[in-house]
Structure formats: structure tokens, C-alpha cells
Amino acid sequence: MLRGRSLSVTSLSGLPQWEAEKLPVEDLLLFEVSWEVTNKVGGIYTVIQTKAKTTADEWGENYFLIGPYFEHNVKTQVEQCEPVNDAVRKAVDAMNKHGCQVHFGRWLIEGSPYVVLFDIGYSAWNLDRWKGDFWEACSVGIPYHDREANDMLIFGSLTAWFLKEVTDHADGKHVIAQFHEWQAGTGLILSRARKLPIATIFTTHATLLGRYLCAANIDFYNHLDKFNIDKEAGERQIYHRYCMERASVHCAHVFTTVSEITAIEAEHMLKRKPDVITPNGLNVKKFSAVHEFQNLHAMYKARIQDFVRGHFYGHLDFDLEKTLFLFIAGRYEFSNKGADIFLESLSRLNFLLRMHKSNVTAVVFFIMPAKTNNFNVETLKGQAVRKQLWDTVHSMKEKFGKKLYDALLRGEIPDMNDILDRDDLTIMKRAIFSTQRQSLPPVTTHNMIDDSTDPILSTIRRIGLFNSRSDRVKVILHPEFLSSTSPLLPMDYEEFVRGCHLGVFPSYYEPWGYTPAECTVMGIPSVTTNLSGFGCFIQEHVADPTAYGIYIVDRRFCSPDDSCNQLTQFLYGFCKQSRRQRIIQRNRTERLSDLLDWRYLGRYYQHARHLTLSRAFPDKFHMEPISPPTTEGFKYPRPLSVPPSPAASQASSPQSSDVEDENEDERYDEEEEAERDRLNIKSPFSLNHATRGKKKLHGEYKN
């Protein structure tokens, strides 16, 4: 019999953890079901991929992922093999004998977990019969024209069939199945309807209706308890999907979600309070050299500077050493991702920097995929001009070097008139003329298909950020995911993030928010909001987030204009920092990465599995109630050393990167500060159920 323990705090690598009795994994089989297993669609792929190693280390050969089969993904990501587990092997064989096509192998990611992949198209001939089975199970009909919902029904039916075969041959082992999002939910509904002996968990990473409502600029958080849910879903023609999602939530033994803000949303949208909040983590890789991530920042920043030299040729009248690179990245959801408030803040930041005659320039990248038909010719020309100029300078350098070398060998100090002849001067003049440009640098790197109606470009036209010489804020829209093979900006996303100074993600709807979390792990400061799961998580565990490079904009209890002003002040304060202050802040930001490591956050999932076993098999597994521990003593404190924001110590104009206060060296001892952080971290393993007791306010203003 398994019994839960009360929480106690111990230390592992300086971090507290939940000391709980381990599950008897040798007597259990764990399946995670998601449409994004080996199939990248959104953030759930990142959750499953990064969590796989931690889970595989704990569960070993008894951990399996279930997803759809797509040939192009399997060829590059999966090593097919025969199942070692007897129950899984028999299940795969039984389904293949009955006209299905089930593939088994190892997913070639960290941890190399086993994957079971169903070929959806191969089993599509069963669709009408399975629609009838689904109607009998939960009285939800799926229209024939909704291709995605039909695919999810096939996927769910195959999943339920597979789980039945596994439980029939499990030889006394108990099965836990965790289903991610409504796409996998049909399998959960059918499994429960058929009374399969499995413990089920349903995890929602965002509610269907919540995403739709926020995208429509509806005052969402202020009216959570006022929506007519059925009416809203029906008007958006997603009522059947909403019913699938809601049925999955209510059928599961344990319902989890990724953040407190999404728990509040789910309680109103899906009419069930989550049992456990399971924050998303990352695989944190620590460098053996403490400041290696700072070296990577310098290296990749130089590559971004090369791109900027080409993009702004002819208008490169700003100092790249005093230029900050800011970026926003993610799905092109103009309002949900906060691109609207970000652009408005950039307009105000541009005004402040010009008014104070600042010598700092901010180059802002929008990495948001949109419909394009090719690269912008002017952008390609800029990179070609830069490369041609570099080649010219390199060839002249070789020529000068040889003349200088020969002169010194002869024991002579060379005359510059001998080093530079008329032809060399002509080449240099031609090089200067080639960098002249009549037009302004483009605000987009591609030709946009919907240029006239594109929300970002339309806003840029309205606020007048056209990359003119007088603008201290320059804007570049890159409507395509980054790739190391791109002829424009040959960097992958991680390299680009490491080279930037600040990530800005002022989202209105962000159930978790992997983009600022990824910035944190790489030691790059970021802006998030108190409407994102990540922002709420950091507020809970860090006493002064700004000191650690996490700027949290209040979009929940402030008006849109106030939120915009707050974001502008964050950006302006960041621009006023000295180079030394930014280095110190990056060191602090990187130290927060321990909070986001799956080695620790994975324990929330462990708690959910304990709970579902105790509910599904109460005679064999029992878990005593766990009361939320008091963890007020465990929290990242506000650093006592150099302030992260120069507001209290700087003049209104930014100080030069070369000028440093000698006293700052005495006030900042990184090793001492880092050790204090390790000892004062607030425990992230308060394995309490979703927020209870204290009533949460939905918000006062629409942002």
C-alpha cells in the first residue's frame, strides 16, 4: 500500500525539494498521450520533449508516449524497434492484425523514450463507426467538415483500443495514462466509458474557448463568471470541440493545468477546479565555466550586429556598441501575444530616448511567422552590400599587410603614400558610394502577402516607426521562424536569443509562457505579465523579480494605458543601464534557471500520479491528505548589491559603457550573492492543489 507523506524540505544542489515516498514504478506502466508527440505544433511539444529525460530516468522501460504517425517526422526523429514490454508488444501486434498500422520505436531526444504512433489515415475507414461509439459514450456529435476534430476522434479511438489491449495483458501492473489537451481527450472519454482499469490524468495547457475569446479582444478576465459558455462556443462554431474538452476534464480522475491563472480560467470555462497545478519546466544545462553563457552572448551578439550592419547600410549612423537588441517571438496572435501594447510602448520609448538625447539605440525584432511570398529584395541587397564591402576590405588588408611586412623586413618605417596608391583610394571611394541609399531601411525582411492589412505593419505606419535617422528605436519584422540556413539571418532560435539583450512578451493570454522561461534559462532578461503562468510563478517565488531581470507588467489590474506606460518605463530603465549593470543582471537571471528545471518541477507531475492512483485504485493505493506547507522563508531575496535598475543611481541620460563606478566592485560579490540565492530560494514544491481559500479577483480593466 502506498501512503503519502507530509512535506519536508531537504536540499539538492541548493534547492529544496518534496520528499515523498516514490511510486512503485516497477509495478506500473505510464503512458502520456498527445497529438504533439514527435509532431511539433506548439508549446506542448516543448513540454513533452524537455520533460522526457526526467520521466524516463524515473520510470525506465515502463514509460511510453503515444502520438500520431507522420512519415516525415518519423524518418528524422524516431528509431523504430520492437517493444520490450510484453503487454505493449501484444497490444501492438493485436492492433496491426486487425487492420491498424501501429509503429513503435525510440524518440531520438534526450532520454530516448519509447513512442507508440498511430497512422490516422490508415484507420480512417472506421470513422463513421467510431463517431457512433463516441455519441453513445458522451452524446457529442462531430460534424463531417471539421477535419481536425475527426482526426482527433480517430486518434482517440485508437488510443482507447490500445490501452484496452495493454490492460488485458498487463499481468497485474497498473496503468496510468495522462492526456494532454482536448486533441487527446477523446481517448480518455472512451477509456472511461468502457470502464478500462486505468488511472487517468487530463492536463489542459489552455482552454479552447479562452483562446478564442481573448483573440476577439473581449474583456476576458474581468468577465470570467459572466460568459454564457455554450452560447460563446456555439457562435464560434466550436461547440463540439468545447464539449469534447469539457467531457475530458470531467471524466479524468485528476485534472491538472499549468498555472494558477489558467486554473481560474478552467474553473469558469470547463466547470471543474484543477486538482494539481503542474508548472512547465525545461532541461537546464549548466556550463562548467560559470560565465560561459556570457561568452555565448557576446559571440551571438556579434552575429546579430553583422545582420544589422547590412540591414541598415547607408543609415548606420548609430553606435553598435551602444545598441540594444530586443525581440518578441511566438505565434502571430497580435493581441494575445501583446504585440499591440509592445508597439505602442516602443513609440513612447522612442520619444523618451529622443527627448533625453540618448546615444542608446534599440533595435527591435518581431519574430512572428506570417504569410509571405519571398525575401524582401532591399533586405537581401543590404546583406550583399555588407558582404561585398567585407570582401573588399579583406583583400585590401592582405595587400597592405604584405607591403608593411616587406617594408619592416627592410628596416624601414613605411610611408602611407607608398602603402596606399591611387587605385586603393579609388576602391575605397567606390566602396563608400556603394553603401549609399536613398530609401529608408525596410521594416520587414519579407514581402508580406497581406501588407495593407497586416496588424503589425498597420500599427508601425500609425505610430511612424519607419527606421529614420532620428529614430532611436528601429523595428524589424521577421515573419518567419529563424533558421541557421537562412540567407538573411543564419541563426537558430537559441543562438538568436542568446545574442539579444532583452526578450519582451507582454501577453494578454499566456497560460504558461515558454518564451520568457527560455530566456531565463539562457541568462537573458525578459518582460512578461501577471496574466501569464510564468509571470505568476516568478512573482510567487522571487521577492524582487526586476532585480533578477524578470520585468512583470500588470495587465490584470491596470488600464491598457497604465500597462503601456509601465512597459515603457521598464524598457527605458533597461536602456539606461550601464554595460556592467546588464552583466550583473544577466548573472542573476541565469541563476533563476534552477527554478525551471524539470528535475524539480517534475515532482508536481509525480504528485498528480500519486493522486490519480489513489482515486482510481483506492483499495491498493492510498494517499493521505497533504496540507500546503508554510514556505514563506524560502524565497529569492532582493539583492543587496548594485541596483538592477539605474533609476536610483543614474542621471536621466544613459551613462557610457566604459564608465564604471569603482565603488560598485566593493558592493557586488557574485559568489556571495549566488550562495545566498541558493539558500533563500522559495520552495517550488508546495504540492498543494489548485489555489483555494483566498478568492481571486478576475481583473478590473481590459488590456
Side-chain angles (χ1 to χ4, degrees):
M1 181 177 290
L2 175 70
R3 292 187 178 273
R5 286 187 191 171
S6 60
L7 294 174
S8 65
V9 178
T10 59
S11 180
L12 178 63
S13 299
L15 281 177
Q17 57 174 306
W18 177 56
E19 185 182 48
E21 194 169 312
K22 288 187 176 181
L23 289 170
V25 295
E26 65 279 358
D27 298 325
L28 300 168
L29 296 176
L30 173 62
F31 296 89
E32 281 199 64
V33 188
S34 172
W35 187 254
E36 298 197 35
V37 170
T38 75
N39 176 42
K40 185 171 177 59
V41 177
I44 301 172
Y45 177 90
T46 306
V47 175
I48 294 169
Q49 182 196 42
T50 57
K51 185 168 64 67
K53 185 181 187 306
T54 304
T55 312
D57 288 346
E58 180 186 353
W59 287 77
E61 301 287 298
N62 291 348
Y63 174 53
F64 306 87
L65 292 163
I66 298 176
Y69 172 83
F70 293 105
E71 186 176 3
H72 61 281
N73 290 335
V74 170
K75 280 184 176 180
T76 57
Q77 299 183 49
V78 178
E79 179 186 19
Q80 299 201 44
C81 61
E82 289 297 316
V84 175
N85 184 278
D86 192 52
V88 173
R89 179 177 53 77
K90 289 178 179 178
V92 170
D93 291 344
M95 292 182 69
N96 284 333
K97 286 177 183 176
H98 287 84
C100 300
Q101 199 166 82
V102 184
H103 300 263
F104 186 88
R106 283 192 180 274
W107 191 3
L108 300 179
I109 57 174
E110 284 192 87
S112 300
Y114 288 125
V115 290
V116 180
L117 306 175
F118 302 128
D119 191 322
I120 306 301
Y122 200 82
S123 301
W125 59 277
N126 290 297
L127 179 60
D128 288 338
R129 177 165 62 86
W130 285 342
K131 279 188 175 182
D133 293 345
F134 194 65
W135 174 264
E136 290 178 6
C138 60
S139 300
V140 175
I142 300 175
Y144 72 93
H145 58 77
D146 190 342
R147 171 71 182 274
E148 185 179 5
N150 286 322
D151 284 350
M152 300 313 150
L153 177 59
I154 297 170
F155 177 53
S157 299
L158 290 168
T159 301
W161 184 357
F162 175 78
L163 291 174
K164 181 184 185 307
E165 295 290 343
V166 168
T167 53
D168 287 347
H169 302 95
D171 293 331
K173 288 190 175 182
H174 293 88
V175 175
I176 303 174
Q178 179 165 7
F179 300 80
H180 293 269
E181 281 292 297
W182 72 274
Q183 291 97 329
T186 51
L188 189 157
I189 296 167
L190 292 169
S191 297
R192 293 304 306 276
R194 294 166 186 172
K195 295 181 169 52
L196 299 187
I198 62 175
T200 58
I201 304 170
F202 183 77
T203 299
T204 183
H205 298 259
T207 68
L208 261 173
L209 193 53
R211 192 178 293 279
Y212 272 86
L213 290 170
C214 287
N217 287 320
I218 286 178
D219 188 356
F220 183 64
Y221 292 99
N222 198 37
H223 292 90
L224 271 176
D225 53 352
K226 299 180 177 64
F227 287 118
N228 183 332
I229 305 298
D230 294 331
K231 176 176 176 291
E232 297 290 351
E235 287 179 350
R236 288 160 179 78
Q237 299 184 18
I238 57 166
Y239 187 67
H240 57 287
R241 296 189 183 193
Y242 166 72
C243 290
M244 293 162 71
E245 181 183 38
R246 184 166 168 179
S248 303
V249 167
H250 287 269
C251 284
H253 291 104
V254 169
F255 172 41
T256 76
T257 190
V258 296
S259 63
E260 287 193 18
I261 195 73
T262 314
I264 297 168
E265 172 190 342
E267 186 176 0
H268 288 88
M269 295 287 109
L270 301 173
K271 307 304 179 186
R272 180 177 175 181
K273 189 173 186 176
D275 299 293
V276 183
I277 292 173
T278 52
N280 291 334
L282 287 162
N283 259 341
V284 177
K285 297 177 184 176
K286 292 289 186 180
F287 295 105
S288 54
V290 178
H291 294 297
E292 179 61 23
F293 76 96
Q294 297 277 16
N295 299 332
L296 291 174
H297 168 71
M299 180 173 70
Y300 293 125
K301 181 179 72 172
R303 289 170 60 178
I304 298 175
Q305 287 175 336
D306 278 344
F307 168 81
V308 169
R309 288 185 179 100
H311 192 83
F312 291 93
Y313 83 94
H315 288 259
L316 202 63
D317 52 357
F318 50 91
D319 186 352
L320 280 175
E321 292 306 314
K322 295 178 182 176
T323 298
L324 303 179
F325 299 130
L326 284 59
F327 78 100
I328 181 174
R331 281 191 300 267
Y332 200 141
E333 296 178 6
F334 185 65
S335 298
N336 280 0
K337 296 299 181 184
D340 51 355
I341 188 176
F342 186 28
L343 280 166
E344 184 61 41
S345 296
L346 290 177
S347 175
R348 300 180 188 187
L349 174 65
N350 188 45
F351 171 79
L352 287 174
L353 293 175
R354 290 170 63 176
M355 183 179 69
H356 290 290
K357 294 180 171 51
S358 172
N359 59 359
V360 172
T361 302
V363 176
V364 185
F365 294 86
F366 287 75
I367 313 295
M368 305 181 87
K371 292 180 180 179
T372 64
N373 57 22
N374 214 329
F375 293 111
N376 185 305
V377 174
E378 190 65 22
T379 305
L380 286 171
K381 180 183 175 183
Q383 298 308 312
V385 167
R386 179 189 64 80
K387 290 175 183 175
Q388 183 182 23
L389 185 59
W390 174 257
D391 292 341
T392 300
V393 170
H394 189 71
S395 63
M396 293 184 71
K397 182 182 71 173
E398 292 289 328
K399 185 178 176 181
F400 298 161
K402 188 174 184 307
K403 289 183 178 180
L404 181 61
Y405 175 68
D406 290 340
L408 292 176
L409 276 178
R410 293 193 300 268
E412 301 173 358
I413 299 296
D415 186 349
M416 288 305 296
N417 292 325
D418 295 332
I419 293 288
L420 282 174
D421 56 30
R422 179 171 295 182
D423 288 341
D424 295 329
L425 292 173
T426 301
I427 290 173
M428 286 192 287
K429 289 177 181 177
R430 288 178 60 183
I432 293 173
F433 289 153
S434 71
T435 62
Q436 302 306 304
R437 160 191 251 167
Q438 301 304 318
S439 60
L440 292 174
V443 295
T444 178
T445 58
H446 292 60
N447 295 323
M448 303 288 289
I449 289 178
D450 299 319
D451 184 292
S452 61
T453 58
D454 181 80
I456 291 179
L457 294 181
S458 298
T459 306
I460 288 174
R461 295 184 190 105
R462 178 177 61 80
I463 62 181
L465 281 180
F466 296 123
N467 294 339
S468 63
R469 291 182 183 275
S470 60
D471 287 331
R472 296 272 54 83
V473 174
K474 318 285 186 181
V475 178
I476 302 173
L477 169 60
H478 188 283
E480 196 175 71
F481 283 127
L482 295 168
S483 168
S484 57
T485 59
S486 169
L488 280 184
L489 189 54
M491 304 176 73
D492 63 30
Y493 180 71
E494 179 178 339
E495 294 170 343
F496 177 78
V497 172
R498 287 191 182 278
C500 287
H501 295 91
L502 182 70
V504 186
F505 314 102
S507 304
Y508 181 71
Y509 186 77
E510 193 72 80
W512 176 247
Y514 256 121
T515 41
E518 288 166 339
C519 286
T520 302
V521 168
M522 296 182 211
I524 302 301
S526 63
V527 176
T528 183
T529 73
N530 59 354
L531 288 180
S532 76
F534 173 78
C536 295
F537 180 82
I538 290 296
Q539 278 185 320
E540 182 182 353
H541 295 101
V542 181
D544 184 2
T546 303
Y548 288 88
I550 310 293
Y551 300 88
I552 301 175
V553 177
D554 186 354
R555 296 203 64 180
R556 192 173 179 189
F557 303 113
C558 287
S559 67
D561 190 59
D562 288 343
S563 297
C564 192
N565 283 333
Q566 185 183 23
L567 176 56
T568 304
Q569 289 304 314
F570 283 156
L571 298 178
Y572 183 57
F574 188 83
C575 289
K576 288 167 64 179
Q577 288 184 6
S578 68
R579 181 173 178 270
R580 172 179 170 76
Q581 286 175 318
R582 292 198 301 271
I583 290 173
I584 292 172
Q585 190 178 58
R586 282 198 295 272
N587 287 335
R588 292 174 182 162
T589 302
E590 196 271 342
R591 287 204 298 274
L592 291 184
S593 60
D594 284 337
L595 270 176
L596 304 170
D597 197 328
W598 273 124
R599 288 179 299 159
Y600 311 109
L601 295 186
R603 299 175 190 278
Y604 285 105
Y605 280 81
Q606 185 186 44
H607 177 58
R609 292 168 197 143
H610 273 266
L611 192 58
T612 193
L613 282 171
S614 68
R615 291 181 179 178
F617 309 109
D619 295 337
K620 296 187 177 180
F621 299 91
H622 177 66
M623 190 172 184
E624 296 174 358
I626 296 178
S627 58
T630 302
T631 55
E632 290 305 315
F634 298 94
K635 197 162 189 171
Y636 274 105
R638 191 186 193 287
L640 302 175
S641 55
V642 185
S645 171
S649 60
Q650 299 271 82
S652 59
S653 61
Q655 91 175 35
S656 168
S657 299
D658 302 328
V659 180
E660 306 292 354
D661 185 351
E662 293 181 1
N663 293 329
E664 287 184 352
D665 288 322
E666 300 175 10
R667 296 170 58 197
Y668 178 67
D669 183 333
E670 180 174 342
E671 290 186 7
E672 179 185 338
E673 190 174 290
E675 180 62 26
R676 188 169 62 251
D677 282 345
R678 283 190 288 269
L679 295 174
N680 288 284
I681 179 176
K682 181 174 181 181
S683 171
F685 310 117
S686 311
L687 293 177
N688 52 318
H689 299 309
T691 311
R692 61 183 85 187
K694 181 181 175 183
K695 185 176 180 181
K696 295 284 182 181
L697 301 174
H698 301 314
E700 299 175 357
Y701 296 96
K702 159 65 179 162
N703 257 280

